[in-house]
Amino acid sequence: MINLKNYINMKNIFRIAFALASALCVFSEIKAQEITDTIKVIDKANGIVVTRTGNTTKIIADLSDSINAGKYYIYEVEVTPSGNDDRELPDSWEINLPFIPRDPNQECKSNKKIRREISGFEHIYWGWRFNYNDKQQVKNCFEVGVRHLIGVTWNHGSKTPAFSIGAGFGMMRLLAKDGYTYGKNGNAVILLPVESGVEVDKSRLDVWRFHMPVMMTIPLGKTGAFCLGGIANFNTYASAVTQVYNDDYRDKIKYKGLQQNLITADIYASISIGGIGIYATWSPTALFKNGFGPQLKSWSIGIDLISF
């Protein structure tokens, strides 16, 4: 009869042996995957000193030279790693961007890689908008904001063309011409003539929007730059305010829920020296949906603070 206690002990021993064997197999596999770096094979050395300075490794071996009657000598070797260690994360992405030429005279591999960095507080602007195409009784007025509040920039270096994608915000104001005020007819924005005896204090329409610029920046000389790109505008909020005086009575009306186009686009260009420049935009898309307001379009010029 088999002793139950001995059977249990034997079973535990087999389990432990199996676990150790499995661990050894895993350890052997990991060791087999490790990248070995053999610098020099030295047999029967009395002593070896390994030092490393920067990327240079030096081995000093104290060897017994039997040929030269037991004399000792020092063996030195310097090894510089090639820098192709894939175990480290790269400092840049190996991607090629359109319209960015590489300098054939620069043979350094790092100059062939695209560097990327987080950028922000660029293209802070103030300008004047000029309306056209069904402008009706709408005045020209201003715009203000920052087009590239935060984003990512790719380039080959500080003196090479750069490609950027960012996000920002801004607002533009549309004033009613003298003698007219903003109003609504159902959901449509209209402009109404001022009645006799009524003095208009203000009548304006403000549009708040987010920017998503895609730009190419080309250096000009030491401090100049030329930028060209497209900007998607997300017109998230618009409101019109009209305030009039009639004798001693003041009346203020605010209109919300306007039917502006949620997405409009601008073509953008700027030129700068020392980070300060001028810009121009053209907006070929109408601000309001068809039938819900003047189908006005616009272009603008202004001051552009390229970097902050």
Side-chain angles (χ1 to χ4, degrees):
M1 181 179 293
I2 299 175
N3 190 310
L4 181 60
K5 183 177 181 181
N6 292 336
Y7 173 76
I8 294 174
N9 291 336
M10 185 66 68
K11 188 176 181 181
N12 290 335
I13 291 173
F14 280 130
R15 286 180 178 176
I16 295 173
F18 179 77
L20 289 174
S22 300
L24 288 173
C25 291
V26 173
F27 179 75
S28 299
E29 181 66 20
I30 294 174
K31 292 297 289 183
Q33 294 176 358
E34 291 182 354
I35 300 175
T36 59
D37 190 6
T38 302
I39 297 175
K40 187 69 178 178
V41 177
I42 301 174
D43 295 327
K44 300 179 181 180
N46 296 324
I48 295 177
V49 178
V50 180
T51 58
R52 183 169 183 175
T53 304
N55 290 331
T56 301
T57 301
K58 179 182 289 186
I59 299 176
I60 303 176
D62 186 358
L63 295 174
S64 175
D65 188 356
S66 59
I67 299 176
N68 295 322
K71 293 182 180 179
Y72 292 90
Y73 67 93
I74 301 298
Y75 179 83
E76 298 183 8
V77 62
E78 293 187 4
V79 178
T80 302
S82 62
N84 294 327
D85 189 356
D86 295 332
R87 291 171 292 179
E88 296 181 0
L89 292 176
D91 293 331
S92 56
W93 293 339
E94 281 285 2
I95 57 176
N96 294 323
L97 297 180
F99 314 114
I100 298 185
R102 291 184 176 180
D103 188 354
N105 298 322
Q106 295 181 348
E107 298 179 355
C108 179
K109 184 176 180 180
S110 62
N111 291 332
K112 296 180 182 180
K113 292 183 178 181
I114 294 296
R115 305 191 313 178
R116 84 279 186 199
E117 60 182 1
I118 301 299
S119 54
F121 288 99
E122 296 179 352
H123 298 286
I124 302 171
Y125 68 93
W126 185 94
W128 201 257
R129 298 188 68 88
F130 299 87
N131 302 308
Y132 71 97
N133 187 58
D134 192 30
K135 59 185 293 185
Q136 298 186 22
Q137 288 77 34
V138 179
K139 272 186 178 182
N140 301 324
C141 201
F142 71 91
E143 62 181 6
V144 64
V146 52
R147 291 188 172 92
H148 191 102
L149 179 64
I150 190 169
V152 182
T153 299
W154 293 268
N155 56 35
H156 287 294
S158 59
K159 300 301 181 181
T160 62
F163 176 81
S164 64
I165 299 176
F169 65 91
M171 66 87 65
M172 63 179 181
R173 175 164 291 177
L174 306 172
L175 297 177
K177 282 186 177 180
D178 296 340
Y180 290 87
T181 62
Y182 281 104
K184 288 189 73 175
N185 181 15
N187 290 325
V189 174
I190 59 175
L191 289 117
L192 304 172
V194 178
E195 297 178 0
S196 177
V198 176
E199 180 182 354
V200 179
D201 179 43
K202 58 185 176 183
S203 186
R204 67 192 185 208
L205 188 149
D206 294 336
V207 180
W208 294 88
R209 51 192 185 160
F210 290 99
H211 301 306
M212 182 175 289
V214 179
M215 297 185 185
M216 179 73 70
T217 302
I218 302 173
L220 300 176
K222 294 183 178 180
T223 60
F226 172 72
C227 296
L228 181 66
I231 302 172
N233 303 304
F234 297 88
N235 306 302
T236 56
Y237 180 77
S239 64
V241 175
T242 295
Q243 182 171 300
V244 297
Y245 291 99
N246 189 354
D247 296 330
D248 294 333
Y249 176 74
R250 184 181 71 175
D251 188 15
K252 181 179 179 180
I253 304 174
K254 187 172 183 178
Y255 302 99
K256 299 181 182 179
L258 309 184
Q259 300 298 312
Q260 76 275 9
N261 281 316
L262 179 60
I263 301 176
T264 56
D266 296 343
I267 298 174
Y268 167 90
S270 72
I271 188 168
S272 65
I273 297 177
I276 301 176
I278 57 175
Y279 76 89
T281 66
W282 175 48
S283 303
T285 51
L287 176 61
F288 290 100
K289 296 177 182 178
N290 190 21
F292 291 95
Q295 293 299 292
L296 57 87
K297 303 175 184 179
S298 60
W299 58 277
S300 66
I301 57 173
I303 299 173
D304 197 12
L305 185 61
I306 301 298
S307 59
F308 180 72

